[in-house]
């Protein structure tokens, strides 16, 4: 059975501060993916890719349609209609979201930020920090930066800390909005290598990439948001 099934998803933003002005978000979105698959959302800027991802994480509500999330126990949740407490539980236990930009509190070191998801999962602080260092090292973050706050890091360094934090303790589903947007080729490849590894572990992922080669390398399916169908990836 599919892990996630999106049916006839439609969104119209209503801007209340502009007298209820309606803005087209996305419409007629249909895709599905199995456990351990990577699906990319593809299409021109402004077509609603990020908004669909936010609908899956329920940062945004949906105007109509279904987002069926099948649980291991045979039950399912329609993310489009679930209540707030169901959504909080879903985020806590099943779905992670890697935003495009790092958002962190000041004065917390890069290592502590990356270690936190492991600590939250019950790993010891010592082990968590060790793994966080390995991850930062793998993603080419200089060791001298480990113990300072990433708020003064470069754009690409911040993005790598953000990814490290997002993938160090993956839940069953991971949503990624342009995780490699400000990275050079070498670091992009490193991130893709990590994502491939996570995919092997059975994590189901939906992502958005600007770089076509990168998208092809990681994706099992590409959903073309303009043509409203799967694109041929070869
Ligand atoms: N909170 C919001 N309120 C009103 N309109 C919004 C909101 N969020 C997104 N939109 C609009 O929805 C449309 C789709 O935006 P979205 O960010 O999903 O596009 P995208 O495909 O991710 O584009 P890009 O490739 O540039 O990141 C845009 O026209 C945008 O202005
Ligand atoms: Mg976007």
């Amino acid at each position: 059975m599919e892990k996630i099934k999106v049916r006839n998803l439609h969104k119209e933003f209503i801007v209340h501060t502009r007298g209820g002005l309606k803005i087209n978000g996305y419409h007629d979105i249909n895709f599905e993916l199995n456990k351990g698959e990577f699906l990319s959302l593809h299409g021109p800027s402004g077509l609603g890719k990020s908004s669909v991802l936010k609908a899956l994480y329920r940062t945004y509500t949906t105007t109509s349609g279904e987002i069926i999330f099948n649980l291991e126990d045979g039950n399912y949740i329609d993310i489009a209609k679930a209540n707030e407490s169901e959504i909080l539980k879903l985020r806590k236990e099943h779905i992670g979201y890697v935003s495009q930009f790092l958002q962190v509190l000041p004065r917390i070191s890069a290592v502590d930020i990356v270690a936190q998801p492991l600590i939250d999962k019950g790993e010891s602080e010592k082990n968590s920090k060790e793994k966080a260092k390995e991850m930062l090292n793998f993603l080419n973050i200089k060791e001298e930066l480990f113990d300072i706050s990433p708020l003064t890091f470069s754009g690409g360094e911040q993005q790598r800390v953000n990814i490290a934090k997002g993938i160090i303790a993956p839940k069953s589903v991971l949503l990624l909005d342009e995780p490699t947007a400000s990275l050079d080729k070498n670091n992009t490849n490193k991130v893709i290598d990590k994502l491939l590894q996570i995919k092997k572990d059975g994590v189901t992922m939906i992502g958005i990439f600007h770089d076509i080669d990168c998208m092809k390398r990681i994706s099992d399916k590409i959903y073309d948001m303009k043509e409203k169908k799967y694109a041929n990836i070869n």
Side-chain angles (χ1 to χ4, degrees):
M1 195 197 290
E2 315 81 23
K3 181 84 183 171
I4 296 174
K5 193 160 84 181
V6 169
R7 283 290 171 267
N8 304 319
L9 212 60
H10 173 86
K11 173 75 176 182
E12 209 165 57
F13 289 101
I14 299 173
V15 187
H16 295 287
T17 51
R18 288 287 175 273
L21 176 73
K22 287 178 179 161
I23 294 174
N24 196 12
Y26 48 79
H27 55 95
D28 296 328
I29 303 300
N30 288 278
F31 60 79
E32 57 204 46
L33 67 166
N34 294 324
K35 181 179 186 303
E37 280 189 321
F38 196 113
L39 178 138
S40 286
L41 298 173
H42 179 60
S45 174
L47 219 68
K49 303 181 295 296
S50 295
S51 300
V52 168
L53 221 54
K54 287 176 185 161
L56 285 156
Y57 198 59
R58 253 282 285 277
T59 320
Y60 286 173
T61 55
T62 307
T63 308
S64 64
E66 291 180 338
I67 304 170
I68 304 300
F69 186 98
N70 284 308
L71 299 161
E72 312 257 287
D73 64 6
N75 289 319
Y76 74 90
I77 294 175
D78 180 354
I79 295 175
K81 299 182 188 70
N83 64 40
E84 289 303 310
S85 73
E86 285 173 309
I87 292 298
L88 288 178
K89 189 166 160 10
L90 203 67
R91 288 182 186 175
K92 190 161 179 273
E93 293 171 8
H94 300 289
I95 307 184
Y97 176 84
V98 180
S99 60
Q100 195 173 342
F101 301 105
L102 180 71
Q103 287 164 326
V104 291
L105 297 170
R107 292 190 294 280
I108 302 176
S109 75
V111 166
D112 286 345
I113 287 166
V114 176
Q116 195 58 49
L118 288 168
I119 295 170
D120 291 344
K121 253 178 81 176
E123 283 217 33
S124 74
E125 199 172 315
K126 188 166 170 288
N127 273 351
S128 303
K129 283 194 179 193
E130 217 41 61
K131 286 186 184 168
K133 284 179 189 168
E134 272 168 36
M135 179 68 89
L136 288 169
N137 199 30
F138 180 83
L139 294 174
N140 287 325
I141 299 293
K142 291 174 281 193
E143 219 175 312
E144 62 191 19
L145 295 178
F146 285 10
D147 290 324
I148 60 174
S149 160
L151 289 175
T152 52
F153 287 12
S154 77
E157 285 165 347
Q158 289 197 7
Q159 187 158 41
R160 276 173 282 147
V161 171
N162 197 35
I163 290 162
K165 164 178 157 266
I167 67 178
I168 198 154
K171 297 176 182 141
S172 64
V173 172
L174 190 56
L175 309 170
L176 304 132
D177 196 347
E178 305 204 27
T180 55
S182 43
L183 303 184
D184 57 33
K185 199 86 202 159
N186 178 33
N187 283 316
T188 296
N189 282 332
K190 288 241 157 178
V191 170
I192 299 295
D193 287 346
K194 271 284 169 208
L195 293 177
L196 285 167
Q197 206 175 314
I198 291 172
K199 192 164 89 163
K200 260 200 196 127
D201 295 339
V203 175
T204 309
M205 290 181 271
I206 301 178
I208 302 168
F209 293 94
H210 246 69
D211 184 309
I212 302 285
D213 291 336
C214 191
M215 178 172 75
K216 284 184 178 173
R217 230 187 113 201
I218 184 81
S219 305
D220 299 297
K221 284 176 169 177
I222 296 173
Y223 184 74
D224 187 324
M225 296 266 301
K226 192 164 172 232
E227 302 297 330
K228 319 273 180 219
K229 60 178 189 190
Y230 296 115
N232 193 344
I233 32 179
N234 298 307

